Amino acid sequence: MVPGHSEWKRNLLLVGFMGAGKTTLGGILSKRCRLDFVDTDQLITEKFGLSVADIFSRHGENTFRAAETELLHDLAARCRHSVIATGGGMVLKDENWRAMRQIGPVVFLRADEQELVERLSSATGRPLADDSGREAILERYRQRLPCYLRADLVVETKNQAPLEVVDAILGGLERVNPKWLF
Ligand code: S3P
């Protein structure tokens, strides 16, 4: 039995701050390993029929967070053979971590702070970043860092091409636990 993971379901979860590349890398990784790709933000927006920004503005952040937790419980019950890209705030609740541990190994994509700020200032649609200045973004990131570091594996993405990051994820997971061979 793998500590913290009751059953090997051939899933893996990507966590990290907004703009870390979870969705992009998750897509590449899933194709490479012939796994399905799940994006929690996308499933939640489909459920509400609204963008993330509209869910926040019409229903509030708490409603979005509750939907995230409910979705994780659902994935813990049924998800197999999938790479799951999570929203940047998924790591904030202990309850989410308990569900994630049942789903599979958790990988933190650790991006360079400057790159994060640059990516977030050139993109929109993220209610917790759109109106935030550089310092507020960095403060949020630094506050959350201990939560991201609860991951089974930390992969640095700075100066790495996507395929190199994918290799680092797969090699790293195998080193941490040879059972997690994708
Ligand atoms: C959030 C990150 C977003 C999305 C929502 C909240 C966060 O996902 O879930 O805007 O709290 O960090 P991405 O990390 O995919 O941008």
Side-chain angles (χ1 to χ4, degrees), residues 75-142:
L75 293 174
R78 68 175 172 78
C79 188
R80 302 284 184 279
H81 301 168
S82 298
V83 175
I84 300 151
T86 62
M90 198 65 100
V91 296
L92 298 174
K93 290 190 199 169
D94 283 344
E95 184 181 356
N96 290 355
W97 275 100
R98 283 193 290 277
M100 289 197 287
R101 302 274 186 220
Q102 290 174 27
I103 296 170
V106 181
V107 179
F108 168 32
L109 295 178
R110 184 172 186 156
D112 176 60
E113 289 189 351
Q114 299 313 318
E115 278 176 29
L116 286 176
V117 171
E118 275 162 35
R119 284 185 208 149
L120 292 175
S121 54
S122 62
T124 53
R126 289 182 170 104
L128 297 184
D130 286 353
D131 298 325
S132 305
R134 183 196 140 78
E135 284 313 314
I137 289 174
L138 285 180
E139 193 184 327
R140 188 184 294 277
Y141 174 67
R142 289 174 187 154

Side-chain angles (χ1 to χ4, degrees), residues 5-134:
H5 299 276
S6 51
E7 185 198 336
W8 176 224
K9 300 171 177 173
R10 212 162 167 249
N11 295 321
L12 75 85
L13 295 115
L14 298 177
V15 301
F17 200 60
M18 298 171 272
K22 297 167 299 237
T23 302
T24 306
L25 285 162
I28 298 170
L29 190 55
S30 64
K31 284 199 188 83
R32 159 98 172 259
C33 301
R34 297 177 193 216
L35 299 171
D36 291 332
F37 178 59
V38 175
D39 184 307
T40 61
D41 280 348
Q42 190 190 332
L43 290 182
I44 292 169
T45 56
E46 281 168 11
K47 177 180 168 191
F48 281 82
L50 293 171
S51 67
V52 172
D54 285 340
I55 299 171
F56 269 63
S57 63
R58 292 196 205 173
H59 299 286
E61 180 175 350
N62 286 346
T63 299
F64 180 80
R65 298 299 178 203
E68 285 188 314
T69 301
E70 189 187 331
L71 173 57
L72 277 188
H73 283 300
D74 185 35
L75 293 174
R78 68 175 172 78
C79 188
R80 302 284 184 279
H81 301 168
S82 298
V83 175
I84 300 151
T86 62
M90 198 65 100
V91 296
L92 298 174
K93 290 190 199 169
D94 283 344
E95 184 181 356
N96 290 355
W97 275 100
R98 283 193 290 277
M100 289 197 287
R101 302 274 186 220
Q102 290 174 27
I103 296 170
V106 181
V107 179
F108 168 32
L109 295 178
R110 184 172 186 156
D112 176 60
E113 289 189 351
Q114 299 313 318
E115 278 176 29
L116 286 176
V117 171
E118 275 162 35
R119 284 185 208 149
L120 292 175
S121 54
S122 62
T124 53
R126 289 182 170 104
L128 297 184
D130 286 353
D131 298 325
S132 305
R134 183 196 140 78

Side-chain angles (χ1 to χ4, degrees), residues 117-173:
V117 171
E118 275 162 35
R119 284 185 208 149
L120 292 175
S121 54
S122 62
T124 53
R126 289 182 170 104
L128 297 184
D130 286 353
D131 298 325
S132 305
R134 183 196 140 78
E135 284 313 314
I137 289 174
L138 285 180
E139 193 184 327
R140 188 184 294 277
Y141 174 67
R142 289 174 187 154
Q143 271 172 4
R144 284 184 179 181
L145 195 50
C147 302
Y148 294 126
L149 290 170
R150 293 172 73 176
D152 298 295
L153 178 71
V154 179
V155 172
E156 304 283 343
T157 63
K158 186 177 181 178
N159 298 328
Q160 301 290 310
L163 288 178
E164 290 175 314
V165 178
V166 165
D167 282 342
I169 293 170
L170 295 175
L173 283 173

